[in-house]
Structures are given as C-alpha cells and as structure tokens.
Amino acid sequence: MKSATWRNRHFALACLCMIMVRLSYCKLTNSSIPAIAVYFGTKGRYEEVNPHLIDDILFVNKSAVSPPAADCRSVHLVALIRHGTRFPTTKNIKKIHRLYDVVMTEASATDQCLSDIKNKWPLWYTEDMDGKLVEKGKDDLRHLAVRLSKSFPSLISEETLRGERMEFITSSKHRCVDSIQAFQEGLLKHWGVGDVGFRHYVNDSLMRFFDQCKRFVESIENNKTALKEVKLFKASLEMDEVCRRMASRLQIPPNHITPDLVEAAFFLCSYEFAIKSRNSPWCNLLDESDAQAWILNSYCLTIVLEYKNDLKQYWKRGYGHEINRKSSCVLFHDIFKRLDQASYDYRFGEVTKAVTIQVGHGETLLPLLSLMGFFRDETPLTATNFPMQHSRKFRSSQIVPYSANLLFVLYECTDGLRLQFFLNEKPMTFPNISDPAPLYATVRNHYSDLLGGCDFEKECELPKDKVKNTEL
Ligand SMILES: *[C@@H]1O[C@H](CO)[C@@H](O)[C@H](O)[C@H]1NC(C)=O
Ligand SMILES: *[C@@H]1O[C@H](CO)[C@@H](O)[C@H](O)[C@H]1NC(C)=O
Ligand SMILES: *[C@@H]1O[C@H](CO)[C@@H](O)[C@H](O)[C@H]1NC(C)=O
Ligand SMILES: *[C@@H]1O[C@H](CO)[C@@H](O)[C@H](O)[C@H]1NC(C)=O
Ligand SMILES: *[C@@H]1O[C@H](CO)[C@@H](O)[C@H](O)[C@H]1NC(C)=O
C-alpha cells in the first residue's frame, strides 16, 4: 500500500520534473512579462487576471458590467478592495538578502542568467520598506477607481460624492490608507474636480477582523500545528526535487539550498515584476516553460511553489479550518446590513447611501469568499495530494492579486431587487445559484443560516477549557 502510493507520487513527479534534469535552464527572453507571472499567488499583478488591461489600463468591458436586464438600474454598490502592489515585508526582505548572499558567494554556474544576476542586478531592498505601498500600487488603485466609475457611472459619480452618499472605510495599515487615498485621487482626476474633499474611516474590527478574533489568533495564528500541511509539503519529495534542481542550476551544494531560499527566488521574481515591471534575471532562473510545454503545459518548479502558497492560504485563510471563515462573520453581516438598508430605503422612498468603498487585505477577502462558499474544492488541499490538485478552484493567483476586488451591486428591476457579484471586475454566480443576477431575496434565502447566525463574538470566543488554562 505504502509503496504503491509512493510509486504513484513518484510517477507524477517524474512526469513533472525529472525529464527536465538535463535540459538547459537559462532561458533568455525579450518578453517584459515573465512566463511564470500567472503563478505568483497573492504577490501577483492584477493585470494577469485581466490581461486586456496590459494594453489599456482604463479599459472597461461594457458587456460584463452592464445591468442584468434592460429594465434594471443600479442603486447600491459595496466594494471590498485589497491594497495595491507593495514592497516585501521585513521577513521576506531578510530571506531575499540570504538568498543573494548564497548566490553571490557560492554559485559557480557560468551561464548568462547567473552572470546577469551577479553583474547586473544590484540588491536594492532594505528592511525599512516593510510592506509599504509602492508607486505602482498607487496606480493600481487610481486606475481601478476610474474603471469602477466608468462601469457604474450613476453610482460612483461626482454627484453621489458631493451628496455625501459615498462612504470610505479602510484598515489602519499604511498600505491600505495609502491605497484608499490613491483611489480617491483617481476619482478626482477622472472627474476633473479639485474642490471636494474626501473622508475615510479606519475600522479594523471590520477590515482586520482576523486580529480581533481571539479564537483564530489562538488556534491558528499562534499554533504551528494548524499549518502542518504546509510544513509537510516543505519537506515533501516535490519540494526536495525543486531544491535539488535549483542547486544544480546554480552549481551550489544541494544541502545549501533550502525551500525558503527557492521561495525567496520566486518572490524576488514576483516583486521585481510587480514593483518595477521588470522581467528580472531571477525569473529566467525559474522559467521552465520550454521544457514543460509538451509535458503538462504548466511549469514544474513554479507550480510546486504556487501550490505551497495556496496550501498556506487554504489552511490559514480558507476552508482548512472553520474558524478562518467564521472570523469574517462581522464583515459578512456588515455587507448585508448595507444591502438590507438600501433595499429598505428603496421600498420606502429613495436609497440614501449609494456606495461603500472598503479597503483591506488578501486576508480580509479570502475568509469572506470562503464563508460564502466560493472556490470550494471537493477534496481538501493537503501536502500529499498535490498531483491531483492541478485544476483546483482555490487558486490565489486568480482570486487575490494586488488590488483584487469584490463588488456587490444591487439593481432595481421590474420584478424586484437583484444582486450581482463581481470578482476582479468579472461577473460571478453565487455558489449553487444559477441565475447570474438573482433576486436579492433569493440570495438572502440562500445565506439564511449565516444571516441568522455567524455571530462574531460567539464564534471568536475561546473555548472554555482554554480560558480556564490561561487563568490558572
Ligand atoms: C531580442 O531582441 C533583440 C533586439 O531587438 C533581437 O536581436 C533578438 O533576436 C531578440 N531575441 C529573441 C529571443 O527574440
Ligand atoms: C467581456 O465580458 C463578457 C461577458 O462577461 C465576456 O464574455 C468577454 O470575454 C469579456 N471580454 C474581455 C475582453 O474580457
Ligand atoms: C466598525 O464596523 C463595525 C461593524 O459595522 C461597527 O459595529 C463599529 O462600530 C465600527 N467601528 C468604528 C470605530 O467605526
Ligand atoms: C492547534 O491546531 C491543531 C490542528 O488543527 C489542533 O488540533 C489544536 O487543537 C490547536 N491548538 C490550539 C491551542 O488551538
Ligand atoms: C452547494 O450544493 C452542494 C451539493 O448540493 C452542497 O454540498 C454545498 O454545501 C452547497 N454550497 C453552498 C454554499 O450552499
């Protein structure tokens, strides 16, 4: 049994990787976009999920954002937006420095990739950059603001702003505050107005609920076993092979290349690209597209690292543990409170609040999406089932790149209020509801269990025995 399982995994690995051992890895390319850019997970560029934006960053797909029927008119919008492109955090900057040191002192390969890294790539990351929003990140939000205003011109308009029918809420983190300000700048510039001011409210109970959910902090954040699948995968055959190949590519003794260092190279490629729009020599080091194309149409080293990142999100922010999702109950209720209010106003007169713009984190969006049942795979992602998860739904590269956004748009139609959901400006159906823009009542009914329960205080309370332990 054991050996059969091993053989299966070994076979999958052979398919994925071993065939390539003797091929040359240094792939020089003129493309300004790394071939592996679609695998960067939460460090990915928004343009990769909407490639038409590469040619025209302000392009709006009119047919995607038009009302569900000719007799419908949008009356309310709630937008949850992740901050834009940012610098690495201090922890990752330290890993990048370690990788750079190892490569500079130990790598003895003589190919063009390595020579480009050694001679033409100055290490420019410093620890004080710690997760701050970069200039590209401001552009992400400025441009998103313009596109959303073009998409929903009657809602995101100068008139609703002047009428104080637009509200801005953000997480307290500098990258989020800077993002919401960039969003506001984008709107003012688009409308050509300079005489209105914007306010925003910081609300961490809403946008950083994960910090305030004691049960989450205790049983996941501060609990190493909660992410044991990630740890197991880091020690897996797949990861071993990835390290071995990276070592052989650079001509470094294999035991000097750890999963952390391989990951640092992957992050470096993604940061160089997201921040500076550069296809850096670090990317060439990882790109196996030529070798892979005929095997699996995907990239071996890269897809292993992508899976590792998804595993982490799955167990820390997604379906892995119930409390990950439940910690977002407060945000879930807040959104439906706004939609309920709009639907109440609509029945008894005019909708007062038109728009709420809320800026938070990938960690804000993923638990909420999971709570609502989006991107749920039948089989949990684990350290041992990587080979069967190639077409998983839970793919953070597609879901939460920088400036990822969820929109809830309420329409008045002849037969009542309808709700449409958009992820990254693309319409999505609610899980198990086939109508792309169902009646609002249908959506409420679908989520009736959550609407009637999902109490943040109760879900996030520490289990009684744990409280007792700490009191003793
Ligand atoms: C890259 O661009 C240069 C100059 O434009 C050209 O000479 C070279 O053939 C190109 N290489 C590839 C691989 O396309
Ligand atoms: C525009 O939206 C429509 C409807 O959602 C979709 O079928 C089409 O592929 C989109 N076009 C682009 C360029 O994304
Ligand atoms: C933050 O939002 C929550 C949920 O809507 C609300 O109860 C709370 O009063 C808000 N806090 C602040 C400081 O505005
Ligand atoms: C830590 O996580 C493990 C695995 O999910 C769980 O069994 C254990 O109860 C958790 N520990 C605490 C203190 O919550
Ligand atoms: C959707 O339907 C399936 C099968 O009927 C069920 O297992 C699942 O829980 C449903 N999902 C949601 C979000 O209601």
Side-chain angles (χ1 to χ4, degrees):
M1 183 69 198
K2 194 170 176 198
S3 108
T5 315
W6 188 85
R7 215 174 315 118
N8 281 345
R9 295 188 56 205
H10 192 75
F11 176 72
L13 258 189
C15 289
L16 283 172
C17 304
M18 293 195 174
I19 294 168
M20 303 159 42
V21 168
R22 287 183 202 292
L23 297 174
S24 155
Y25 298 108
C26 180
K27 182 167 177 274
L28 295 173
T29 160
N30 279 356
S31 169
S32 58
I33 302 176
I36 62 178
V38 292
Y39 300 104
F40 288 156
T42 56
K43 293 171 180 64
R45 214 172 57 143
Y46 189 72
E47 286 87 329
E48 260 53 61
V49 303
N50 276 316
H52 59 268
L53 297 178
I54 294 168
D55 292 329
D56 178 3
I57 195 71
L58 299 181
F59 178 81
V60 166
N61 185 349
K62 281 277 172 6
S63 70
V65 295
S66 63
D71 64 336
C72 299
R73 186 176 71 92
S74 58
V75 292
H76 193 82
L77 181 150
V78 180
L80 294 181
I81 305 173
R82 186 189 179 207
H83 58 74
T85 308
R86 61 164 172 82
F87 283 121
T89 54
T90 302
K91 193 174 115 209
N92 277 331
I93 291 174
K94 286 187 173 142
K95 284 186 193 168
I96 287 171
H97 280 253
R98 269 207 305 282
L99 169 74
Y100 186 74
D101 284 347
V102 169
V103 169
M104 292 305 275
T105 56
E106 301 191 33
S108 59
T110 52
D111 62 38
Q112 190 64 40
C113 284
L114 190 60
S115 136
D116 283 352
I117 289 172
K118 284 189 163 176
N119 304 318
K120 292 194 203 150
W121 189 84
L123 177 62
W124 61 278
Y125 296 89
T126 54
E127 287 181 22
D128 61 318
M129 292 171 176
D130 190 20
K132 291 195 186 106
L133 194 70
V134 299
E135 200 50 39
K136 166 70 167 70
K138 292 184 187 168
D139 281 341
D140 291 340
L141 272 291
R142 289 179 187 125
H143 294 145
L144 177 65
V146 174
R147 291 195 307 272
L148 291 187
S149 177
K150 282 163 74 174
S151 301
F152 305 100
S154 65
L155 292 176
I156 304 185
S157 68
E158 188 183 344
E159 194 191 334
T160 47
L161 176 67
R162 287 192 193 272
E164 300 190 347
R165 299 176 60 222
M166 221 166 161
E167 191 177 355
F168 292 87
I169 299 170
T170 176
S171 138
S172 63
K173 276 275 163 168
H174 43 60
R175 57 180 168 272
C176 296
V177 175
D178 290 349
S179 289
I180 211 162
Q181 284 170 343
F183 188 95
Q184 295 169 339
E185 277 167 37
L187 290 182
L188 291 189
K189 182 145 178 275
H190 178 55
W191 298 331
V193 295
D195 64 330
V196 252
F198 279 109
R199 264 180 306 182
H200 67 252
Y201 301 96
V202 168
N203 191 334
D204 281 346
S205 335
L206 211 49
M207 305 316 292
R208 293 181 60 82
F209 49 76
F210 41 90
D211 280 347
Q212 310 200 356
C213 180
K214 289 205 186 70
R215 190 184 193 131
F216 172 78
V217 172
E218 180 101 344
S219 67
I220 311 295
E221 186 103 63
N222 297 339
N223 177 3
K224 289 212 171 74
T225 12
L227 298 190
K228 68 172 189 299
E229 294 297 330
V230 181
K231 206 170 154 205
L232 286 171
F233 192 66
K234 272 171 100 166
S236 69
L237 220 54
E238 286 91 342
M239 194 59 90
D240 237 36
E241 180 59 23
V242 159
C243 293
R244 216 177 54 72
R245 285 180 24 245
M246 180 90 164
S248 106
R249 187 170 312 186
L250 291 165
Q251 299 286 295
I252 291 179
N255 56 349
H256 291 193
I257 291 287
T258 60
D260 274 358
L261 289 184
V262 181
E263 194 165 60
F266 187 53
F267 285 161
L268 245 182
C269 165
S270 71
Y271 282 119
E272 291 283 293
F273 180 57
I275 297 172
K276 295 191 156 181
S277 303
R278 274 194 59 199
N279 187 351
S280 80
W282 294 97
C283 300
N284 296 337
L285 203 62
L286 300 166
D287 185 358
E288 301 165 331
S289 49
D290 284 350
Q292 271 294 288
W294 60 277
I295 306 173
L296 245 191
N297 194 24
S298 45
Y299 312 107
C300 181
L301 203 154
T302 316
I303 58 172
V304 170
L305 295 174
E306 185 203 25
Y307 188 68
K308 194 237 142 195
N309 289 335
D310 282 353
L311 257 190
K312 179 175 165 203
Q313 299 301 332
Y314 185 88
W315 291 94
K316 196 164 179 188
R317 308 292 171 183
Y319 291 98
H321 301 287
E322 183 77 4
I323 189 61
N324 301 351
R325 308 159 57 206
K326 289 292 173 67
S327 64
S328 73
C329 284
V330 57
L331 181 57
F332 175 83
H333 281 298
D334 186 75
I335 291 164
F336 277 88
K337 199 182 74 190
R338 290 171 198 283
L339 296 171
D340 282 351
Q341 180 66 48
S343 100
Y344 179 89
D345 288 354
Y346 161 74
R347 259 185 294 150
F348 297 103
E350 202 185 334
V351 179
T352 26
K353 273 264 154 33
V355 177
T356 315
I357 304 289
Q358 301 178 257
V359 176
H361 307 262
E363 295 92 324
T364 316
L365 270 49
L366 279 176
L368 180 75
L369 284 166
S370 304
L371 183 72
M372 297 183 72
F374 291 99
F375 306 109
R376 178 171 214 148
D377 292 291
E378 267 166 37
T379 315
L381 278 60
T382 68
T384 49
N385 67 13
F386 166 67
M388 61 166 286
Q389 293 286 8
H390 285 304
S391 41
R392 65 187 176 277
K393 295 185 195 147
F394 196 87
R395 213 166 211 119
S396 41
S397 305
Q398 287 298 313
I399 310 171
V400 277
Y402 296 120
S403 79
N405 50 86
L406 322 182
L407 309 180
F408 297 82
V409 185
L410 203 59
Y411 294 90
E412 64 167 356
C413 306
T414 324
D415 57 353
L417 288 170
R418 290 185 172 272
L419 186 67
Q420 199 161 22
F421 179 79
F422 296 85
L423 174 67
N424 300 328
E425 300 168 76
K426 288 176 280 201
M428 269 188 74
T429 55
F430 290 98
N432 292 6
I433 303 183
S434 54
D435 191 336
L439 287 169
Y440 180 52
T442 305
V443 180
R444 278 196 112 261
N445 188 43
H446 180 66
Y447 289 116
S448 57
D449 285 353
L450 289 176
L451 285 165
C454 199
D455 180 56
F456 180 83
E457 301 297 332
K458 214 168 105 201
E459 301 292 346
C460 291
E461 199 167 82
L462 289 175
K464 289 286 179 295
D465 56 323
K466 297 276 160 41
V467 177
K468 218 184 277 162
N469 281 346
T470 55
E471 278 170 353
L472 282 174

